[in-house]
Amino acid sequence: MITFFAALALLILGYMFYSKFIEKVFGVDDNTPTPAYAQADNIDYVPMSWWKGNLIQLLNIAGLGPIYGAVAGALYGPVAFIWIVVGCIFAGGVHDYFSGMMSMRHGGAQFPTLVGRYLGKNAKVFINGLSLVLMLLVAAAFTAGPAQLIAQITPISFIWALALIFAYFVLATILPINRIIGRIYPLLGGILLFMAIAVAVALVFSGKPMPNLTFSNLHPGELPIWPLLMVTVSCGAISGFHSTQSPIIARTMKKETDGRKIFYGAMVIEGIIALIWAAAGMTFFNGTEGLGAALAAGGPSGVVNDISISLLGTLGGILAIFGVIILPITTGDTALRSSRMILADLLSKFTKTDGTLRILLITVPLAIPTFYMATIDYTFLWRYVGWTNQVVATFMLWTATMYLLKNYKMHWISGVPAMFMTGVVSMYIFYAPEGLNMEYHIAAMIGSVITLAVALWYIAQILKYRAAKQVDSKYETV
């Protein structure tokens, strides 16, 4: 229990102190009008209070990610606590803050536009395709699960459940952000947080011993921690999907100082939720072996259902059903909304129609393949979300690093986690079953070579901008 509370305290301290340091490095100015006012359109650019932005951002980035991912990550043992804390404070929080604030500084620009601006046109082309694939996969995966449950507990068939969910998706995607998302999602975000806190309190008073971090139980499983843990637990530590969602809220910010509370704050809250569910998974089933058996028998939804009902009774059952049905839907619809915004940017030179008709014309082609993919097995889809998600996160961290380098600021705050995540994704794709499924040592060697090449590129960029800064300094002196 000491480890759990220590990890919780570190997450809170990380927000209190490190987020302020990150904000200071970025440099905020409340005298600069935000896009919500400068580009107001009553659809995407609508001013909202920071607390609404925080809760909407939390719901958009979370869904079932910090629940299912954390429960699966708990199989790795208490080392999952370390990754959640370190990843959230030094990687995820930085990633989310810069993805939101850079978007705000560039008129609410989408993530691929930022990549193109700071990493070049080739990177933009690659990340445009990858981002759209990621969001369609997320939307499909976060639709298939709820539709399956609806079909199990109601007379509604799976296909009709899909159709109902997608009808809502299209509606939420084309309507102004303050119509549905701005009114309902802060409440749902609050319920998500309440659900996690209720589980944490019940767990503490359940009498079950929480595992403490020791060298003997650091990693009781057989699966290698590197790089699998960093992909399994993404939401709650660092997730590239967040960078596709941040521009939605960046277009609603009233002032720049709200960014720390909205973006870094939502990431820390998600980290706390992941920490709670990782602890619940390890504690409730008396260790990783029991958790593994429970996951094999009922999957993550069954584990969440068992924990919620056993610890919270009838309320727990209601929360479990709410979580498994509502939370992924609210993430899926913003995934579709974000993909609509990215596609709109891509087609801006070719589409002249304005307003709702243009939005609808862009949304429908995205909804059709997403609907089809939602009919595919959920677990199959989710296997491919993980690596795609973390590649997007890596690109966002490098984008932030180049932004800081070009502005002669402290680039290592994003450069170090960018190098770390480069190592993760470089090896994962060669080792993972859904990748090339190579032997561990071969995948490690290939991943190391790729990471070294990227490190050399990073050093070259540092030297380049250091020289440029010296030249600028001479001109300023003259």
Side-chain angles (χ1 to χ4, degrees), residues 9-26 85-95 97-98 260 264-265 268 397 404 410-417:
L10 287 172
L11 285 172
I12 295 171
L13 289 171
Y15 173 73
M16 291 174 62
F17 296 103
Y18 195 67
S19 70
K20 289 184 178 179
F21 172 67
I22 297 299
E23 181 185 59
K24 184 177 180 180
V25 172
F26 180 82
V85 171
V86 175
C88 181
I89 294 172
F90 297 105
V94 175
H95 170 281
Y97 182 79
F98 275 92
R260 185 177 69 89
Y264 204 109
V268 169
L397 286 171
L404 292 170
M410 200 176 294
H411 55 85
W412 60 263
I413 59 173
S414 57
V416 172

Side-chain angles (χ1 to χ4, degrees), residues 57-74:
Q57 175 77 355
L58 173 64
L59 199 64
N60 289 355
I61 66 176
L64 288 176
I67 301 176
Y68 280 15
V71 167

